[in-house]
């Protein structure tokens, strides 16, 4: 038995022949096993979908009730047998419901981690280390320059700015699924209890998080607030709306952006970000390399992001490593991110 007999790379994502399924397929397939709800990993139009309840719910919120012909929910730690393969889901710590998928055939275990981070996040179950023979890792921040540091320190910077400029609105660009809710939870944990305003595109997902027991305090839609109420307040919005007409109604806004890319000053400048906040839902360089080492895997397959440096690092550690080169996964932490529903429910 070789790893390639368990999972094989195809143009639409990795495929388990023995189990007859694809993981995070980028085009419609008969049977899909899905790691998490971000739209490049969780697409509509598959026959059967196996995912956590949260991922299925988030897909339903985004695509409507008919996003797949049939669905099956699986819990963390639960194993299902698909054809000749045993499939187990483990927490990935990336966003609510996100999972790593362990696939086992004849005692050989391959783990497809989807997107992950190994730091504490009050809005999702912590990353679980799974020992395996082959580890499939993302590489969004797969360069040594990316060290995210402490998210609480970034939140402190934001709150300091709010205290310093009570007459200015603080507009924080953040991805709608995961990042926005994590920011709210971190802001609350820092003791800030004023209402937080949201762009309409974030409303459904944020309410869903609350319905799953995540306490986010009081939030309101920015469009129902009066202009003076937005001064001295924090508003979260999709990054793509920071520069468009939507942001013009805010009083003298301080433009902030929460992303792992904010470590790169040129990126922040390019997007006219006054207050960059280095907060990411992806593992940084240390997180990626520590995790690869700790899985005990002798083989590493690297997908979407900066594959080369991570492949090189693995090889120098005596591991077998290669890039998967699958096209179709985006980067929700990307500064140019445009969510498909960025203007949902908003006038401009
Ligand atoms: Zn993701
Ligand atoms: Zn991804």
């Amino acid at each position: 038995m070789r790893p390639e007999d368990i999972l094989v790379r195809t143009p639409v994502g990795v495929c388990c022949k023995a189990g007859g399924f694809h993981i995070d397929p980028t085009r419609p397939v008969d049977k899909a096993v899905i790691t998490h709800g971000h739209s490049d990993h969780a697409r509509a139009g598959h026959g059967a979908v196996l995912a956590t309840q949260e991922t299925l719910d988030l897909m339903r919120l985004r695509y409507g009730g008919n996003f797949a012909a049939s669905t099956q929910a699986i819990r963390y730690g639960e194993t299902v047998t698909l054809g000749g393969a045993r499939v187990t889901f483990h927490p990935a710590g990336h966003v609510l419901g996100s999972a790593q998928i362990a696939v086992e055939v004849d005692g050989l275990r391959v783990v497809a981690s989807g997107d992950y981070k190994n730091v504490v996040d009050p809005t999702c179950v912590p990353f679980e280390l799974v020992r395996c023979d082959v580890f499939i890792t993302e590489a969004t921040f797969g360069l040594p320059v990316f060290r995210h540091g402490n998210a609480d320190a970034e939140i402190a910077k934001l709150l300091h700015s709010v205290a310093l400029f009570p007459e200015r609105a603080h507009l924080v660009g953040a991805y709608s699924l995961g990042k926005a809710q994590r920011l709210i939870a971190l802001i609350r944990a820092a003791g800030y209890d004023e209402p937080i305003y949201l762009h309409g595109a974030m409303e459904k997902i944020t309410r869903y998080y609350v319905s799953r027991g995540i306490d986010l305090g009081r939030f309101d839609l920015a469009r129902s607030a009066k202009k003076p109420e937005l001064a001295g307040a924090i508003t979260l919005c999709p990054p793509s709306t920071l520069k468009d007409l939507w942001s013009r109604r805010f009083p003298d806004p301080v433009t902030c952006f929460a992303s792992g890319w904010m470590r790169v000053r040129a990126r922040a400048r390019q997007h006219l970000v006054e207050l960059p906040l280095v907060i990411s839902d992806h593992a940084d360089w240390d997180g990626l390399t520590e995790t690869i080492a700790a899985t005990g895997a002798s083989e590493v397959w690297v997908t979407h992001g900066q594959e080369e440096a991570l492949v090189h690092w693995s090889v120098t550690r005596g591991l077998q490593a290669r890039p998967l080169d699958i096209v179709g996964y985006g980067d929700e932490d990307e500064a140019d991110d445009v969510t498909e529903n960025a203007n949902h429910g908003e006038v401009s």
Side-chain angles (χ1 to χ4, degrees), residues 171 237 241-251 253 255 348:
L171 260 182
C237 60
T241 62
L242 279 176
K243 283 183 287 185
D244 73 19
L245 268 175
W246 183 82
S247 66
R248 293 208 189 148
R249 53 183 296 246
F250 288 83
T255 303
S348 59

Side-chain angles (χ1 to χ4, degrees), residues 36 38 41 94 115 332:
H36 69 286
H38 282 147
H41 292 259
H94 175 55
D115 292 338
E332 72 276 353

Side-chain angles (χ1 to χ4, degrees), residues 229-291:
E229 293 176 308
L230 298 168
I234 299 170
T235 301
L236 305 189
C237 60
S240 58
T241 62
L242 279 176
K243 283 183 287 185
D244 73 19
L245 268 175
W246 183 82
S247 66
R248 293 208 189 148
R249 53 183 296 246
F250 288 83
D252 191 17
V254 177
T255 303
C256 319
F257 187 18
S259 160
W261 293 108
M262 290 299 106
R263 178 64 67 210
V264 182
R265 265 164 218 264
R267 287 253 191 170
R269 270 201 305 271
Q270 178 192 342
H271 293 277
L272 309 175
V273 174
E274 196 173 332
L275 182 59
L277 302 171
V278 186
I279 300 177
S280 177
D281 287 331
H282 295 269
D284 64 5
W285 174 257
D286 292 332
L288 293 167
T289 53
E290 278 163 22
T291 303

Side-chain angles (χ1 to χ4, degrees), residues 28-347:
V29 299
D30 287 342
K31 211 181 281 182
V33 176
I34 292 185
T35 59
H36 69 286
H38 282 147
S39 54
D40 50 331
H41 292 259
R43 295 176 194 251
H46 303 306
V49 171
L50 176 69
T52 62
Q53 186 63 54
E54 290 86 352
T55 296
L56 294 174
D57 290 342
L58 289 164
M59 291 177 79
R60 199 168 292 118
L61 279 183
R62 175 175 282 138
Y63 303 123
N66 297 322
F67 70 90
S70 70
T71 62
Q72 183 183 346
I74 180 170
R75 288 187 305 273
Y76 294 133
E78 193 182 341
T79 300
V80 296
T81 303
L82 296 175
R86 286 163 50 81
V87 176
T88 311
F89 275 49
H90 301 274
H94 175 55
V95 296
L96 185 64
S98 67
Q100 311 172 71
I101 295 161
V103 184
E104 258 179 282
V105 180
D106 289 344
L108 193 69
R109 184 188 289 155
V110 181
V111 169
S113 57
D115 292 338
Y116 65 96
K117 70 173 178 297
N118 56 343
V119 297
V120 182
D121 176 340
T123 64
C124 62
V125 178
F127 177 86
E128 180 189 323
L129 187 81
V130 185
R131 304 273 302 175
C132 56
D133 301 290
V134 180
F135 186 59
I136 306 181
T137 182
E138 58 141 322
T140 305
F141 292 107
L143 285 174
V145 62
F146 291 112
R147 294 208 157 81
H148 299 329
N150 182 347
D152 293 324
E154 300 299 287
I155 294 296
K157 271 190 223 165
L158 170 65
L159 295 180
H160 180 69
S161 177
V162 171
L164 214 55
F165 302 113
E167 70 293 347
R168 299 182 69 185
H170 281 68
L171 260 182
V172 185
Y175 195 77
S176 303
L177 166 52
K179 182 70 61 66
Q181 296 76 27
R182 182 181 174 208
L183 287 180
I184 299 173
L186 289 173
I187 291 167
R188 296 307 182 203
Y192 181 87
D193 52 15
E194 299 297 320
I196 292 174
Y197 294 95
L198 297 183
H199 185 283
M202 294 168 164
E203 184 186 12
K204 271 199 278 181
I205 294 170
T206 305
R207 290 202 190 288
Y208 177 71
Y209 267 63
V210 173
S211 79
R212 299 300 290 191
I214 291 152
D215 184 11
L216 298 176
R218 186 172 149 209
F219 57 86
D220 287 314
L221 289 181
R223 70 164 173 263
S224 23
K226 296 188 181 68
K227 194 168 178 176
E229 293 176 308
L230 298 168
I234 299 170
T235 301
L236 305 189
C237 60
S240 58
T241 62
L242 279 176
K243 283 183 287 185
D244 73 19
L245 268 175
W246 183 82
S247 66
R248 293 208 189 148
R249 53 183 296 246
F250 288 83
D252 191 17
V254 177
T255 303
C256 319
F257 187 18
S259 160
W261 293 108
M262 290 299 106
R263 178 64 67 210
V264 182
R265 265 164 218 264
R267 287 253 191 170
R269 270 201 305 271
Q270 178 192 342
H271 293 277
L272 309 175
V273 174
E274 196 173 332
L275 182 59
L277 302 171
V278 186
I279 300 177
S280 177
D281 287 331
H282 295 269
D284 64 5
W285 174 257
D286 292 332
L288 293 167
T289 53
E290 278 163 22
T291 303
I292 291 171
T295 61
S298 57
E299 197 169 328
V300 183
W301 299 351
V302 186
T303 176
H304 69 299
Q306 329 237 10
E307 289 100 328
E308 228 166 274
L310 212 50
V311 167
H312 182 257
W313 179 89
S314 303
V315 170
T316 60
R317 302 270 304 205
L319 308 175
Q320 282 197 55
R322 61 186 173 94
L324 281 183
D325 295 323
I326 297 169
V327 178
Y329 299 122
D331 167 15
E332 72 276 353
D333 224 356
E334 166 61 49
D336 300 317
D337 163 68
V338 177
T339 59
E340 72 269 28
N341 54 358
N343 287 315
H344 168 85
E346 300 292 321
V347 239

